[in-house]
Amino acid sequence: EVGLVESGGGLEQPGRSLRLSCEASGFTFGDYTVSWFRQAPGKGLEWVSSIRSKAYGGTKEYAASVKDRFIISRDDSKNFAYLHMNSLKTEDTAKYFCSRGYFDYIGGSYRTLFDYWGQGTLVTVSS
Amino acid sequence: DIQMTQSPSTLSASVGDRVSITCRASQDIGTWVAWYQQKSGKAPKLLIYKASSLQSGVPSRFSGTGSGTDFTLTISSLQPVDSATYYCQQYNFYWAFGQGTKVEVK
C-alpha cells in the first residue's frame, strides 16, 4: 500500500528556517516525481515545488512565491523527500502536503499527474 | 500562468441527486485535467484524470467530461460520503487548482 507521511512542521518566526520531511513507503520511491503542495488555512491548494526522479535528471522546479527561498531534495536510499524552507514569511503559513507524481501519456505527449498524497504537516509562521 | 475558474463555490443537494461542478481554464489545456476530493483538510484523493478517466477504486457515480477550456465533474447519485470539497487541477503546464467546491449532502 502506498504511503506518504510528512513531518517537521511547527511554529517558526519570520525570517527563520524549517525543514519538512516526506517518508514514502509501498512503492519504488526513486522511480517517481515528488512534489510539495500547500494549503493556507481555509484556502485552496497551491503547488510549491517538484523534483523529478534521477532517471529524468532530478530536475527541480519551484513556484514563483517560494523560488530562491525553498529548496527541494530527495534521498532515494532512504525513501525520503525534503523541503528546506528559508527566509520564512507569514504568508508561508499552511498545511504542506507531499505527493507522488508519475507520467500520464496521451499519444506521444506526457504530463506529470499526482495520484497519492500524504496527510500533511502544519507550518505556522508568526512572531 | 494558467488559471482555473471553478463553480459553484458551494453546493447543497439531497441524497440521490445528480450534481455537476464546472471548471474553466484560462487557455486551451487539451484534456490535462484532474479532479480531487478533499475531506476536512485531509489528503486530497484523485478521482478523475485526463478529464474523463476514472481512477482505480473510485465509484462509478463519479464522471468527468470536457476538453480545451471547459470541464465538468458529475456525481450521478449523490451519497452522504460524498460530502467534501472538490478541486479541479490543470497539469498541462505546471499545476494549478480551481478555488474548490464545497459539497453538502442534505
Side-chain angles (χ1 to χ4, degrees), chain A:
Chain A
E1 184 181 357
V2 172
L4 294 162
V5 179
E6 303 90 340
S7 61
L11 174 63
E12 192 51 85
Q13 295 179 333
R16 300 293 292 266
S17 298
L18 209 55
R19 187 187 79 163
L20 305 184
S21 300
C22 171
E23 182 177 13
S25 60
F27 65 100
T28 305
F29 181 70
D31 289 349
Y32 290 82
T33 292
V34 178
S35 273
W36 290 91
F37 295 85
R38 68 184 180 185
Q39 186 170 39
K43 301 295 185 182
L45 295 162
E46 177 190 16
W47 170 71
V48 174
S49 182
S50 294
I51 183 167
R52 287 191 174 188
S53 67
K54 286 194 168 47
Y56 288 88
T59 305
K60 303 173 185 181
E61 296 177 296
Y62 301 92
S65 57
V66 306
K67 194 171 168 55
D68 299 327
R69 296 190 299 122
F70 288 10
I71 300 171
I72 192 170
S73 62
R74 64 190 299 159
D75 186 338
D76 293 345
S77 68
K78 296 180 180 175
N79 289 351
F80 268 85
Y82 304 98
L83 186 68
H84 302 257
M85 309 166 66
N86 303 309
S87 303
L88 284 164
K89 303 177 179 181
T90 55
E91 51 263 42
D92 295 322
T93 294
K95 180 178 277 192
Y96 285 73
F97 298 92
C98 67
S99 181
R100 179 184 90 161
Y102 70 92
F103 290 145
D104 187 24
Y105 287 85
I106 298 177
S109 296
Y110 69 89
R111 301 292 188 273
T112 302
L113 172 68
F114 295 96
D115 58 353
Y116 287 95
W117 298 56
Q119 295 296 326
T121 186
L122 182 62
V123 172
T124 303
V125 183
S126 175
S127 53

Side-chain angles (χ1 to χ4, degrees), chain A residues 100 102 113-116, chain B residues 45-49 52-59:
Chain A
R100 179 184 90 161
Y102 70 92
L113 172 68
F114 295 96
D115 58 353
Y116 287 95
Chain B
K45 175 185 176 182
L46 178 64
L47 301 175
I48 301 285
Y49 62 98
S52 61
S53 296
L54 191 68
Q55 174 71 348
S56 176
V58 173

Side-chain angles (χ1 to χ4, degrees), chain B residues 3-4 21-22 25 40 47 51-52 55-56 98 103 105:
Chain B
Q3 274 78 47
M4 302 294 283
I21 300 167
T22 62
S40 302
L47 301 175
S52 61
Q55 174 71 348
S56 176
V103 173
V105 182

